[in-house]
Amino acid sequence: MMGPRQEAQAALFYEFSLEEHVPQDHLLRSIDRYVDLSSIRAHLADFYSHTGRPSVDPELLIRMLLVGYCFGIRSERRLCEEVHLNLAYRWFCRLELTDRIPDHSTFSKNRHGRFRESDLLRHVFETTVARCIAEGLVGGHGFAVDASLISADVQKQNSSNPEDWASREINPEDAPRAVREYLDALDDDAFGAASEMKPKFTAHVDPASQWTAARKGPAFFAYSDNYLIDTDHGIIVDVEASRSVKTAEVGASRRMIDRTSERFGLKPDWVAADTAYGSAENLAWLALDRQILPFIPVFDKSKRQDGTWSRSDFTWDPDNDRYLCPEGKELKRTRQYHKDPRNKQPRPGRRKYRASKMVCSICLAKDKCCPKVDARSVTRERFEEVREFARQCTASEFNPKAQARRKKVEMLFAHLKRILGLGRLRLRGPCGVQDEFTLAAIAQNLRKLAKLKPLVPANG
């Protein structure tokens, strides 16, 4: 028997519970147990006036942002619509059916104001990391560090040569917010002072973004998202935004390691990374200054491509301060400084060792050693001992395990772009980019908590 047509009739009274309509296995139920925002009111107390109209609850704004980044909803207009319609989102945000959703402009007002002034997002991130530590998901023995390029919200058509852009008269009071943030960060090692090399183009609306072709394809404007993770379960223990240049990324890794030690007392026994972090200065900073084993391939360009002997073919004799060539002849230290060809100045700590011209001229292996010069010379870098120590680390039996664990940070970047949808930034300027990266890291840690510590349904 065919049932009657259903007619929509407004009821006078409803008995409705959001709690009953959110599935027990919903992701937000597992995440909600680990979201502790009880301290943000005290954290923001000095940034609110004691008089005037009550503001929107800051906990509501943070919960809505967490929903957006956990489910890849990064448009704040769309986020307000989704929270208005989705029962699970309302439940997570502590909103009843009749509660109004804040206007999307409220997010911008608070983000550029009290949230940024109080560094609230960093506070929420560190609270989440502390919860991961309390749940036993952070061992603190081994860390991995890496950076990933994220496209900036600019186009090449709205850019120009750096010299042409710098020659314009810019009034900081009338400039866009991203330009003002760039001017404020000119002395920051992560942005303006990251490198003396000038990019080919500078974006007018976001000059802190870097013009780069690091992906071996068409160049684009980008920022680097730097992650420092604990390799036990892939928990992000720190996050930092920087320009997409190697020196800035290495500097970001040092800040993250020091900040993690200061905030959480975590000092790793070893750190794994790729060759970009294998400069002599960085290896010395890790091994000598911080007493951390570097499982990092050494950044070395001394290998020759013409088939002649490279520096690695020569044997170092520390007792006599000399090198021995494969034929057993010695190369003695000279008093001549080896100049850096980039700035024509002696490089500090670099030493030069040279063989005798008379010995090389009668050597039978001259064609394999120095066919175009009279005598062979070899340079030794300032931190060559540290480089040798790093080579021993990468040649150890533990290195394959360390490199396998390092892959977890690359998986996090893949998850960031594919699941959370952070392949292109929405916000501009160093502060806006840092906000996006921090929120994404919070979301990834919360999802990791929900996965590794799932909610066990009660036996009914």
Side-chain angles (χ1 to χ4, degrees):
M1 175 178 174
M2 184 179 296
R5 177 182 297 176
Q6 298 293 325
E7 298 288 347
Q9 297 181 0
L12 293 177
F13 302 99
Y14 287 97
E15 291 185 2
F16 190 88
S17 173
L18 283 176
E19 182 71 28
E20 296 178 358
H21 285 76
V22 179
Q24 291 297 319
D25 58 350
H26 198 282
L27 176 63
L28 287 179
R29 280 196 179 273
S30 296
I31 289 178
D32 184 65
R33 298 175 299 149
Y34 303 111
V35 177
D36 182 11
L37 303 178
S38 59
S39 61
I40 67 172
R41 290 182 175 275
H43 188 79
L44 291 171
D46 296 336
F47 298 89
Y48 282 90
S49 174
H50 298 288
T51 60
R53 187 175 61 180
S55 66
V56 177
D57 184 5
E59 181 176 346
L60 170 60
L61 298 179
I62 295 298
R63 284 184 174 271
M64 290 181 65
L65 287 172
L66 292 180
V67 168
Y69 277 81
C70 282
F71 292 94
I73 309 171
R74 295 172 50 242
S75 168
E76 289 159 359
R77 289 177 181 268
R78 185 187 162 207
L79 176 62
C80 293
E81 296 174 358
E82 293 292 337
V83 173
H84 175 71
L85 296 172
N86 193 298
L87 297 181
Y89 296 172
R90 279 184 172 269
W91 173 84
F92 181 80
C93 295
R94 307 295 191 263
L95 293 172
E96 297 294 338
L97 287 177
T98 56
D99 292 337
R100 295 185 61 182
I101 307 299
D103 187 77
H104 65 87
S105 62
T106 307
F107 292 95
S108 299
K109 182 69 175 177
N110 283 272
R111 180 174 59 247
H112 297 307
R114 54 180 65 95
F115 283 8
R116 192 162 293 170
E117 293 170 0
S118 65
D119 208 7
L120 178 64
L121 297 182
R122 165 63 59 174
H123 173 75
V124 176
F125 171 77
E126 292 179 353
T127 302
T128 306
V129 174
R131 184 60 185 270
C132 294
I133 297 174
E135 294 292 332
L137 300 183
V138 178
H141 302 292
F143 284 178
V145 63
D146 204 355
S148 182
L149 296 179
I150 307 295
S151 299
D153 186 28
V154 293
Q155 297 292 338
K156 180 182 179 299
Q157 291 77 6
N158 192 20
S159 64
S160 62
N161 183 280
E163 295 180 357
D164 296 337
W165 183 84
S167 64
R168 299 187 307 170
E169 294 184 0
I170 301 176
N171 185 358
E173 297 180 358
D174 298 333
R177 180 180 288 106
V179 176
R180 297 199 303 269
E181 292 178 3
Y182 167 74
L183 296 175
D184 293 338
L186 282 176
D187 296 331
D188 192 340
D189 291 340
F191 294 100
S195 173
E196 296 180 357
M197 299 294 294
K198 292 185 178 180
K200 188 175 181 180
F201 296 101
T202 296
H204 298 163
V205 295
D206 193 359
S209 60
Q210 179 73 25
W211 178 255
T212 177
R215 290 180 180 172
K216 308 301 180 182
F220 61 101
F221 288 101
Y223 283 91
S224 285
D225 187 5
N226 300 271
Y227 275 0
L228 180 68
I229 72 164
D230 181 84
T231 58
D232 283 0
H233 296 93
I235 298 297
I236 305 169
V237 295
D238 209 342
V239 56
E240 183 82 8
S242 71
R243 285 179 64 189
S244 299
V245 293
K246 184 174 66 174
T247 53
E249 294 170 358
V250 171
S253 70
R254 296 184 185 184
R255 286 193 298 275
M256 291 189 295
I257 290 174
D258 284 344
R259 188 162 52 200
T260 303
S261 175
E262 177 184 350
R263 303 291 174 86
F264 306 109
L266 296 176
K267 182 181 178 181
D269 299 324
W270 54 270
V271 169
D274 57 27
T275 313
Y277 300 85
S279 65
E281 292 77 9
N282 191 49
L283 294 174
W285 183 86
L286 287 170
L288 301 180
D289 295 347
R290 297 299 182 268
Q291 302 295 310
I292 300 174
L293 295 177
F295 288 95
I296 304 173
V298 177
F299 184 77
D300 189 1
K301 289 188 176 182
S302 64
K303 185 174 180 59
R304 294 190 171 186
Q305 304 299 325
D306 58 359
T308 58
W309 288 333
S310 301
R311 182 170 58 188
S312 58
D313 296 315
F314 291 74
T315 303
W316 169 243
D317 182 6
D319 296 333
N320 298 307
D321 190 20
R322 65 178 182 173
Y323 273 100
L324 296 176
C325 75
E327 294 293 323
K329 310 301 182 182
E330 68 174 3
L331 286 78
K332 296 182 179 180
R333 182 177 177 182
T334 66
R335 298 302 177 186
Q336 178 183 358
Y337 290 106
H338 186 81
K339 295 183 178 180
D340 188 342
R342 292 176 297 179
N343 54 22
K344 306 301 181 182
Q345 296 295 326
R347 181 174 294 180
R350 172 177 281 191
R351 292 173 290 175
K352 186 175 182 179
Y353 296 81
R354 185 180 177 88
S356 171
K357 180 179 178 180
M358 182 180 300
V359 172
C360 287
S361 63
I362 61 174
C363 182
L364 299 177
K366 189 175 188 303
D367 291 340
K368 294 183 180 180
C369 183
C370 53
K372 298 181 180 180
V373 295
D374 296 334
R376 179 61 188 266
S377 61
V378 173
T379 59
R380 185 170 181 82
E381 302 295 336
R382 177 185 179 187
F383 297 111
E384 193 62 32
E385 291 82 1
V386 178
R387 287 155 59 96
E388 290 295 335
F389 176 72
R391 292 188 181 99
Q392 295 176 10
C393 290
T394 54
S396 66
E397 296 181 354
F398 182 75
N399 184 62
K401 185 176 182 180
Q403 297 303 322
R405 292 188 174 187
R406 184 183 68 83
K407 298 296 182 181
K408 293 181 180 180
V409 68
E410 298 180 1
M411 294 173 62
L412 283 170
F413 286 134
H415 181 274
L416 176 73
K417 298 175 182 179
R418 185 173 61 88
I419 304 299
L420 302 190
L422 194 61
R424 183 183 177 89
L425 293 161
R426 284 186 59 253
L427 304 180
R428 296 170 178 169
C431 295
V433 173
Q434 183 65 51
D435 289 348
E436 286 215 67
F437 290 165
T438 303
L439 280 167
I442 295 172
Q444 287 186 286
N445 280 345
L446 289 174
R447 291 177 66 107
K448 182 75 71 171
L449 275 166
K451 178 181 179 180
L452 298 179
K453 300 285 184 176
L455 180 65
V456 179
N459 296 326

